[in-house]
Amino acid sequence: MEFFKSAVASAISKGPPFPYTFGDRVDVDASIWTLHNGTKREDGSNCSIFSFDVTANKSRLPMARNAVKKLRTLRHPGVIKVLDTVETETYIYIATERLIPLRWHIKRKSMSSETLKWGLFGVAQTIKFINEDASSVHGALRVGSLYTSESGEWRVGGFEVLSSMKDDEAIIYNYGSLVPDAGRYTPPELAKSGWDAIKRNPLTAVDAYNFGTLIFEVFNGDFMGGDQVGQTKNIPVKMQPPYRSLVNANPKPRISVGGFLAQGQRNGGFFNTPLIKLTESVDNLGMKTEQEREEFLNDLDGLSDDFPEDYFKVKILPELLKSVEFGGGGPKVFSVVMKISTKLTDDEFDARVTPAVVRLFSSPDRAIRVSLLDNLPVMIDRLSQKIVNDKIFPQMLSGFTDIAPVVREQTVKAVLTVIGKLSDRTINGELLRYLAKTSNDEQPGIRTNTTICLGKISKNLGAGTRSKVLIAAFTRSLRDPFIHARNAALMALGVTSDAFSEDDCANRILPALCPLLIDKEKIIRDQTNKVMEIYMQRIRKFASIMADTALPPPSSTESSTGQTPRMSTPQPSEAASWAGWAISSFTNKVSAAAGEITPTANGAPRRSSAPLVADRRAPGTASASALHRQAVASPPETSARTSTSSNANDYFQDSNAGADEEIDIDDAWGEVEEDSFFDAPSEASKATKPATVSANPFDDQGEPDFAGWLAAQAGKKTTAKPLPKGLAKPSASNGNRPGPASRVATTGSIGGLGAKKTATTAAAKPATKPVAAKKIDTAPRDTGDDDGWGDGW
């Protein structure tokens, strides 16, 4: 091979310039030509080079020169396209488009029956042109003289003896028998009488016979000689009758290739196939009428997956893309584009399809945009991350706010496809902002799909925003009036439980799940129980490794000085009476401040005048430390509760609600939390409704106001016994704003004392004149009711 290349280079250097580079040699059937792959030096484009060695084949030099002449002068789409030719005394070179011998495909049987019909159709058109329009005879038609181009189209070559019947000295008469393998393909009338018999028979007879043997060869692989003539093995049934007529031993009744073509194109004929109709009408697709375009699209739908790949990549695909972009081809055409693109390599896809796809995403045609979103899974692996993140996704954003619901819905679904190609900044920025809008969409299906989408992309969200966004989105979906939206939120919470901390599970998620335990729909109730079990298992596991208490151990110094009152730690022996240890430290504090309790007449000590709680709260509603802090700590200045409800649970519920309000949610999801969700009643709005003031501040559910009680006990030590701060007239500097003691008396939610009503009335009514401070007798009264707190409280 290297010797041959050097010899070729030496020959070129001695002759005219030939701007093509020889490549690998291509094996072909027996021929006077040697075929090489080549490249054009100017731009590196592919080509093929036919070379003829004059010194080794002088006897066939007229055939080579005839082929060069006919290839340069005969112009038809089915004929090999010539780029350049060079002829010297030692060689002849013909540079053509890149070709592949048809024999390769036939041997591998890589073409479907429909593709073979399509190829024969093209060859028949070319031979008809040669016979009827050019009044010529090919004379060497067979598989060895046919090639396929880069577009997959069949090209006719082998013009060594192609002759015009108007020429009395045509080369076919003298050199027809010198064509390699001529004996196998020579028609019977020429085998008997010589090639001069062409003049005595119809002009089309020779090529008609050779076209018949070509049909047998492409469907069966090889044609060995006259014994196989007329056999119909593997030949389509509809094609068999005209095929027999083509290979008729008598040239007179033998139909021409043009007649064979006409029979095949009849309605229902063997050439009336979707593929052939498509190739016939693909040119100028954008110029067709609406009816013609509709027929073309119907032909596209009729195509199977075994279409000729190369032809569709090179010829059909560019026309289809132009039709979609500029000719109104619509989604139907684009779906075929995607079908063809599956046969493309990554480089071919980037060069031919990607630019068009990027332009189409900016199209205002909603049908095209929906089709693009539907086909994203087919092409996403072919698109680079830079293209998706920088060019395609910015165009997709408009779909989240499109007025057409179908566009919004498909855009939300497409997020799952493109999420892997988006940067973290894009995901946690623009994407979440637009998903926050679709989560509040007027269409329940879009809201549901947004919840599903968030659940599936949870692992792609940033660690700093994941739990905040998911909790805000899912807990709001739990209140959606649409049953499938609630169910989707429950399922999403179930699969994303690992994304939340134990504090979030206990404080935010479980409280949001509880109302769904009594949902009107059984499917929701069942799903809620499953999800709650998932979170309860996490909470139980976490609680099992927590310390028994967070309180520091008591120190001897604190015990001796008594400066820091502290609730005692519950002991196992006190489990039967939890209220006993809960108020024990307060009892000690009272004894230290006011002396010994006066015994009663019968010797038994009188009980404290504080009212006894009749209906104890359920264990777990409040801790001892919480009661203590409520008693000794001053309430914040901003607190101005008007409710005097005695239910302790309301207090903790309000505290939790306040904690929820302080949770920092990203701006996108924070905006949607402020209002009611999908017209569903908001829990926050319920919690902020003013509670009805109880007419009786000491109902059976009440609890002692330890802060007021301690303040009263401490006041007994002073000689002046000043007026309690809650009853004092507001100073001018404070205006009408109540002091801290007043707020203690009016905002306690664990229970009210008898002074609460007085304090509230005094704070509400402005004093018209100075009133003498009322002395309060803090000494215990004998009310005759040992179980009550006493009228004084």
Side-chain angles (χ1 to χ4, degrees):
M1 176 61 70
E2 295 299 328
F3 174 77
F4 177 80
K5 289 183 179 179
S6 62
V8 169
S10 176
I12 292 176
S13 64
K14 297 178 183 179
F18 189 66
Y20 298 90
T21 301
F22 281 80
D24 297 333
R25 179 174 175 174
V26 179
D27 294 330
V28 295
D29 288 1
S31 174
I32 66 173
W33 300 95
T34 302
L35 179 62
H36 291 266
N37 290 328
T39 55
K40 190 175 182 180
R41 296 176 186 173
E42 181 181 359
D43 55 8
S45 58
N46 294 328
C47 68
S48 291
I49 302 174
F50 290 88
S51 65
F52 178 80
D53 189 352
V54 176
T55 57
N57 297 283
K58 285 185 178 180
S59 61
R60 294 176 176 177
L61 180 59
M63 298 169 62
R65 288 175 174 171
N66 182 72
V68 172
K69 178 182 177 181
K70 297 300 182 182
L71 284 172
R72 292 180 67 91
T73 58
L74 193 63
R75 298 294 183 181
H76 188 270
V79 174
I80 293 174
K81 181 181 179 181
V82 177
L83 304 177
D84 199 358
T85 61
V86 172
E87 182 178 353
T88 66
E89 295 179 356
T90 57
Y91 63 85
I92 298 176
Y93 297 142
I94 306 175
T96 68
E97 60 182 319
R98 176 60 66 89
L99 300 172
I100 298 175
L102 179 63
R103 176 68 68 186
W104 289 12
H105 300 286
I106 299 303
K107 284 183 177 180
R108 294 196 304 262
K109 297 182 179 180
S110 59
M111 292 183 174
S112 65
S113 177
E114 292 301 313
T115 302
L116 293 175
K117 290 180 184 179
W118 170 70
L120 289 171
F121 175 78
V123 172
Q125 288 181 314
T126 305
I127 298 301
K128 176 185 177 183
F129 170 79
I130 292 174
N131 292 161
E132 298 179 5
D133 297 341
S135 301
S136 301
V137 176
H138 186 281
L141 184 61
R142 64 199 67 172
V143 169
S145 62
L146 300 179
Y147 304 86
T148 59
S149 66
E150 287 186 304
S151 64
E153 297 173 280
W154 292 20
R155 298 284 192 254
V156 178
F159 286 176
E160 290 79 15
V161 294
L162 190 148
S163 304
S164 173
M165 293 297 98
K166 297 178 182 180
D167 185 3
D168 294 336
E169 301 296 330
I171 191 175
I172 193 171
Y173 301 133
N174 299 320
Y175 288 90
S177 59
L178 298 179
V179 175
D181 287 337
R184 281 192 292 163
Y185 301 98
T186 301
E189 67 274 13
L190 300 184
K192 293 179 181 179
S193 306
W195 287 81
D196 288 338
I198 296 177
K199 300 177 182 179
R200 299 189 293 271
N201 295 309
L203 180 148
T204 59
V206 174
D207 289 341
Y209 181 87
N210 289 150
F211 190 80
T213 59
L214 174 67
I215 292 173
F216 180 87
E217 199 168 11
V218 297
F219 282 107
N220 293 279
D222 289 304
F223 177 75
M224 305 306 298
D227 295 339
Q228 293 178 323
V229 173
Q231 294 183 11
T232 58
K233 180 182 178 181
N234 297 328
I235 297 176
V237 176
K238 292 183 178 181
M239 193 181 291
Q240 291 177 5
Y243 157 73
R244 294 192 185 95
S245 181
L246 285 172
V247 295
N248 194 321
N250 186 353
K252 301 295 183 181
R254 192 179 296 162
I255 65 169
S256 67
V257 176
F260 177 84
L261 185 64
Q263 290 188 33
Q265 288 181 299
R266 293 174 182 173
N267 188 20
F270 48 84
F271 282 153
N272 190 11
T273 65
L275 177 59
I276 293 175
K277 290 172 65 177
L278 175 66
T279 56
E280 287 290 287
S281 59
V282 70
D283 295 333
N284 300 320
L285 179 60
M287 304 298 294
K288 296 183 181 299
T289 64
E290 188 66 28
Q291 182 178 357
E292 291 173 338
R293 187 184 294 113
E294 187 64 26
E295 293 177 358
F296 174 80
L297 297 179
N298 292 334
D299 292 339
L300 286 177
D301 288 340
L303 289 178
S304 58
D305 292 333
D306 58 359
F307 53 77
E309 298 176 12
D310 294 334
Y311 180 75
F312 273 70
K313 289 190 294 187
V314 178
K315 288 282 187 158
I316 301 294
L317 187 60
E319 292 295 329
L320 294 179
L321 287 173
K322 286 192 293 185
S323 175
V324 174
E325 285 193 76
F326 312 110
K332 206 170 186 180
V333 175
F334 187 78
S335 63
V336 178
V337 170
M338 289 295 99
K339 187 176 181 179
I340 298 172
S341 67
T342 58
K343 308 293 184 180
L344 300 177
T345 64
D346 291 342
D347 292 339
E348 290 173 337
F349 189 91
D350 287 339
R352 297 175 181 175
V353 180
T354 299
V357 169
V358 173
R359 291 192 297 268
L360 286 172
F361 264 103
S362 61
S363 172
D365 188 346
R366 289 190 175 91
I368 290 295
R369 293 175 64 87
V370 171
S371 181
L372 286 167
L373 296 173
D374 288 340
N375 286 280
L376 263 179
V378 179
M379 56 182 170
I380 190 64
D381 292 336
R382 303 289 192 92
L383 300 172
S384 66
Q385 182 174 1
K386 183 175 180 61
I387 291 292
V388 175
N389 190 76
D390 298 344
K391 296 183 178 180
I392 292 180
F393 185 73
Q395 300 292 344
M396 287 177 55
L397 292 178
S398 61
F400 288 103
T401 56
D402 196 277
I403 61 174
V406 64
V407 177
R408 300 199 301 273
E409 183 173 10
Q410 292 304 115
T411 304
V412 171
K413 291 180 179 179
V415 170
L416 300 179
T417 304
V418 302
I419 191 70
K421 296 293 182 76
L422 300 181
S423 64
D424 293 339
R425 182 176 181 180
T426 301
I427 294 173
N428 296 287
E430 292 179 312
L431 178 59
L432 287 183
R433 282 198 294 270
Y434 280 94
L435 287 178
K437 294 180 181 180
T438 56
S439 69
N440 199 29
D441 198 274
E442 61 182 6
Q443 296 293 326
I446 296 177
R447 300 197 302 266
T448 304
N449 287 331
T450 301
T451 302
I452 296 172
C453 176
L454 283 169
K456 291 187 176 182
I457 69 171
S458 60
K459 296 186 181 299
N460 299 95
L461 302 181
T465 60
R466 182 184 300 127
S467 61
K468 297 178 182 178
V469 170
L470 296 183
I471 291 174
F474 295 160
T475 55
R476 294 187 65 193
S477 295
L478 292 176
R479 303 192 298 271
D480 196 302
F482 188 52
I483 177 176
H484 298 293
R486 300 198 300 276
N487 193 44
L490 290 169
M491 296 175 69
L493 282 170
V495 299
T496 58
S497 60
D498 295 338
F500 312 119
S501 65
E502 284 75 9
D503 287 343
D504 287 336
C505 294
N507 297 329
R508 304 188 64 192
I509 297 177
L510 285 174
L513 289 173
C514 287
L516 273 68
L517 291 171
I518 55 173
D519 193 273
K520 295 180 179 180
E521 303 294 336
K522 185 177 185 300
I523 184 176
I524 301 298
R525 298 194 298 271
D526 294 343
Q527 187 64 35
T528 304
N529 278 284
K530 295 178 183 178
V531 176
M532 287 199 69
E533 183 61 27
I534 294 174
Y535 283 90
M536 288 302 299
Q537 288 178 3
R538 283 198 60 190
I539 298 301
R540 294 189 191 105
K541 182 177 180 181
F542 181 74
S544 65
I545 61 175
M546 292 179 66
D548 293 342
T549 179
L551 296 175
S555 62
S556 59
T557 303
E558 294 176 352
S559 302
S560 61
T561 59
Q563 294 179 355
T564 307
R566 184 174 65 248
M567 301 283 291
S568 62
T569 303
Q571 301 300 324
S573 60
E574 298 172 346
S577 177
W578 66 272
W581 56 258
I583 64 173
S584 60
S585 66
F586 291 102
T587 306
N588 296 335
K589 181 70 176 177
V590 171
S591 300
E596 296 297 330
I597 299 178
T598 304
T600 56
N602 57 5
R606 291 185 61 182
R607 297 189 179 185
S608 171
S609 57
L612 183 64
V613 179
D615 187 7
R616 295 176 179 176
R617 291 175 283 109
T621 57
S623 65
S625 59
L627 294 173
H628 176 64
R629 287 194 296 271
Q630 175 67 14
V632 302
S634 298
E637 292 185 1
T638 56
S639 175
R641 295 181 181 266
T642 59
S643 173
T644 58
S645 172
S646 61
N647 189 353
N649 291 336
D650 290 348
Y651 171 80
F652 291 103
Q653 184 176 1
D654 292 345
S655 299
N656 290 339
D660 286 346
E661 292 173 358
E662 293 177 358
I663 292 177
D664 182 21
I665 303 298
D666 288 350
D667 294 340
W669 297 95
E671 294 173 359
V672 293
E673 274 193 69
E674 295 175 0
D675 300 325
S676 61
F677 182 63
F678 307 139
D679 297 331
S682 174
E683 297 296 335
S685 62
K686 295 178 182 180
T688 57
K689 291 181 179 180
T692 304
V693 177
S694 175
N696 182 13
F698 285 101
D699 57 7
D700 292 337
Q701 303 295 328
E703 293 184 2
D705 184 356
F706 292 109
W709 188 77
L710 289 176
Q713 292 295 322
K716 294 174 68 175
K717 294 184 178 181
T718 62
T719 57
K721 294 185 179 181
L723 197 68
K725 292 183 179 180
L727 300 179
K729 181 179 179 180
S731 63
S733 61
N734 292 335
N736 294 329
R737 185 173 168 183
S742 175
R743 288 194 294 272
V744 170
T746 58
T747 60
S749 60
I750 296 182
L753 299 179
K756 182 183 295 185
K757 182 175 181 180
T758 305
T760 304
T761 306
K765 295 182 180 180
T768 58
K769 60 181 179 178
V771 181
K774 182 180 179 181
K775 296 182 180 180
I776 301 178
D777 184 8
T778 58
R781 296 182 181 180
D782 187 4
T783 60
D785 185 6
D786 292 341
D787 295 333
W789 282 90
D791 296 337
W793 295 104

